[in-house]
Amino acid sequence: MEQLLPETLLFLIAAGFLAAFVDSVVGGGGLISMPALLLAGLPPGVVLGTNKLGGTASSLTSTVQFLRSGNIDRRLAFALFPLSFLGSALGTYTVTLLPSEFLKPLVVCLLIAVTIYTVFKKNWGAGAVYRGLTNAKRVLVAIAAFVIGYYDGFFGPGTGSFLLFAFLLLGFDFVRAAGNARLLNFASNIASLMTFLAFGLVNFVYGVPMALAMIAGAWTGSRFAIKRGAAFVKPLFVSVTTLLIGKQLWDLLLG
């Protein structure tokens, strides 16, 4: 059986906790967890699958916290759940056939637009103005759930940010938008994980300790978000999307 060195174990636990803390609120935890798994010595394909194990545990934990606090619109989010699930499963299958590198320039542009819009909408997300959906909005949000789910399975960076942004556009405040985003992110994570498991691309020796740490990180992060509200979530959202932009630009320049 594969051995995990004590220093590697501690490193993965610390990275997993921090990644899940951030991810449970605004997404972007993969900025921390995926490089950590690469540094631990796992091959890139296995890193993607093993990261989904931790991501699924993290998103489930934070989803439960947001549900218990009443910060998820159950009717809307659960209606969108299967679309995110199916999109992610299809996206993960596609990534086993095609390289995902061509998406990077598009992702950078979208993240820049999301960040700029959020920064300049000063009081955006401070209070809820959501009053239900028109038929046109139902179609658009259904398409968004499927497409973002597909993107999460196919490539991934910034999924939580895109989901949170979509719910903000519908009129939810930052905390409720984060809660809805967590549920859909759980759908895309578990679908992607099941697909990676089918292809044998999950390392449980590295993944289980990290997943346990991510459960603790997600529990802590979601409680912070619920307690502190938009004053905590919005600055973290802007900071994480800015880091995601920097990471994707760095990869493009090096590539």
Side-chain angles (χ1 to χ4, degrees):
M1 184 177 173
E2 192 175 358
Q3 293 294 315
L4 189 58
L5 295 173
E7 56 269 29
T8 305
L9 175 62
L10 289 173
F11 172 65
L12 290 176
I13 288 172
F17 182 91
L18 182 58
F21 182 96
V22 172
D23 202 59
S24 66
V25 184
V26 294
L31 277 172
I32 301 164
S33 58
M34 288 181 67
L37 289 166
L38 283 168
L39 285 170
L42 293 180
V46 179
V47 164
L48 290 171
T50 305
N51 184 62
K52 283 299 176 188
L53 176 62
T56 301
S58 168
S59 57
L60 175 59
T61 304
S62 53
T63 295
V64 170
Q65 288 290 318
F66 279 111
L67 275 171
R68 289 175 61 189
S69 70
N71 281 296
I72 290 180
D73 187 307
R74 297 181 183 221
R75 184 177 178 184
L76 175 61
F78 279 108
L80 297 173
F81 189 98
L83 293 170
S84 187
F85 183 96
L86 290 171
S88 180
L90 182 60
T92 305
Y93 176 70
T94 306
V95 85
T96 65
L97 306 174
L98 299 169
S100 58
E101 296 304 303
F102 73 90
L103 271 181
K104 284 185 179 179
L106 176 62
V107 172
V108 172
C109 293
L110 288 173
L111 285 170
I112 289 171
V114 163
T115 306
I116 290 172
Y117 190 87
T118 305
V119 168
F120 284 96
K121 291 278 285 187
K122 294 296 181 186
N123 296 317
W124 196 42
V129 294
Y130 175 74
R131 297 292 182 269
L133 298 174
T134 61
N135 288 333
K137 283 185 177 181
R138 282 192 184 93
V139 173
L140 289 173
V141 76
I143 292 170
F146 182 84
V147 169
I148 296 173
Y150 180 90
Y151 167 77
D152 190 28
F154 187 65
F155 188 51
T159 298
S161 299
F162 291 136
L163 284 169
L164 195 151
F165 187 77
F167 283 111
L168 286 170
L169 286 175
L170 291 177
F172 289 98
D173 61 77
F174 263 99
V175 176
R176 206 163 172 82
N180 292 335
R182 286 296 86 209
L183 180 62
L184 292 198
N185 206 189
F186 171 62
S188 62
N189 275 331
I190 196 169
S192 184
L193 174 62
M194 290 167 66
T195 311
F196 278 120
L197 283 168
F199 284 93
L201 292 172
V202 178
N203 185 306
F204 288 98
V205 174
Y206 285 67
V208 170
M210 191 176 212
L212 292 173
M214 291 180 83
I215 288 171
W219 185 86
T220 308
S222 54
R223 283 181 66 84
F224 258 86
I226 293 162
K227 197 174 284 187
R228 301 291 180 86
F232 170 71
V233 179
K234 184 173 182 177
L236 186 61
F237 175 73
V238 172
S239 299
V240 169
T241 50
T242 302
L243 286 171
L244 279 164
I245 292 164
K247 173 67 166 57
Q248 297 308 312
L249 284 173
W250 178 264
D251 288 347
L252 279 172
L253 291 171
L254 289 182

